[in-house]
Amino acid sequence: MALERTFSIIKPDATARNLTGKVNAMIEAAGLRIVAQKRIRMTRGQAETFYAVHSARPFFGELVDFMTSGPVVVQVLEGEGAVAKYREVMGATDPSKADAGTIRKELALSIGENTVHGSDAPETAAIEIAQFFSGNEIVG
Ligand code: RTP
Ligand code: MG
């Protein structure tokens, strides 16, 4: 498998509980390298753009409220098959359905406050990375 990059967000429920280091330890233990990282406060505009694919869903307003409710840590992760590997490490969207040992099973609070985001395909990863990072901020 080829070296690949994926986009990750450590969400406000996790920064509020001081879990950034714990999430990062689980990412690194899985063999993924954190090649870019910054802590930001997402604007509503950024959150609406980021989750535009969900704009017609009933939970869209709540999702934007949540993602702008506190600091997030945006990251670029690199590794072999990074997109699929990180989805495995994250676990299912709903933490009650996530496998043992995954970030969401161990740390998430609910389907909304679910601790992390990870890109769902290499094409979306490239778009999401470009929304938050310029090329010289990523050091592989
Ligand atoms: P993400 O995009 O954050 O990595 O999560 P995902 O792929 O596992 O889930 P997705 O279907 O893309 O949904 C995006 C985020 O919306 C929130 N959500 N809430 N209340 C609900 O029923 C509901 N469904 C989804 C979650 O925070 C989910 O991560
Ligand atoms: Mg998604």
Side-chain angles (χ1 to χ4, degrees):
M1 238 190 268
L3 203 62
E4 194 173 71
R5 286 177 175 173
T6 192
F7 180 71
S8 163
I9 304 176
I10 302 177
K11 296 185 179 183
D13 68 284
T15 60
R17 290 176 291 147
N18 223 13
L19 293 175
T20 300
K22 205 166 239 180
V23 172
N24 280 349
M26 292 173 84
I27 288 169
E28 292 184 336
L32 292 165
R33 189 175 300 278
I34 301 163
V35 294
Q37 173 168 269
K38 58 190 170 190
R39 180 172 159 111
I40 62 167
R41 187 71 180 250
M42 241 191 229
T43 64
R44 289 194 77 80
Q46 281 176 313
E48 283 166 3
T49 299
F50 185 76
Y51 280 120
V53 66
H54 294 309
S55 60
R57 302 279 202 93
F59 58 81
F60 183 66
E62 248 174 69
L63 179 57
V64 171
D65 287 346
F66 169 59
M67 293 301 289
T68 56
S69 68
V72 299
V73 177
V74 291
Q75 306 175 306
V76 181
L77 311 182
E78 188 176 80
E80 295 210 344
V83 170
K85 183 178 276 184
Y86 189 43
R87 298 287 295 188
E88 270 180 44
V89 173
M90 286 165 41
T93 309
D94 180 349
S96 71
K97 294 180 182 144
D99 289 339
T102 61
I103 292 171
R104 284 167 167 166
K105 183 64 173 192
E106 302 306 320
L107 304 176
L109 301 174
S110 66
I111 191 169
E113 299 190 314
N114 63 359
T115 305
V116 281
H117 160 84
S119 307
D120 56 17
E123 298 71 32
T124 21
I127 293 166
E128 292 174 356
I129 289 168
Q131 191 188 340
F132 291 96
F133 290 99
S134 57
N136 64 3
E137 292 179 304
I138 305 168
V139 184

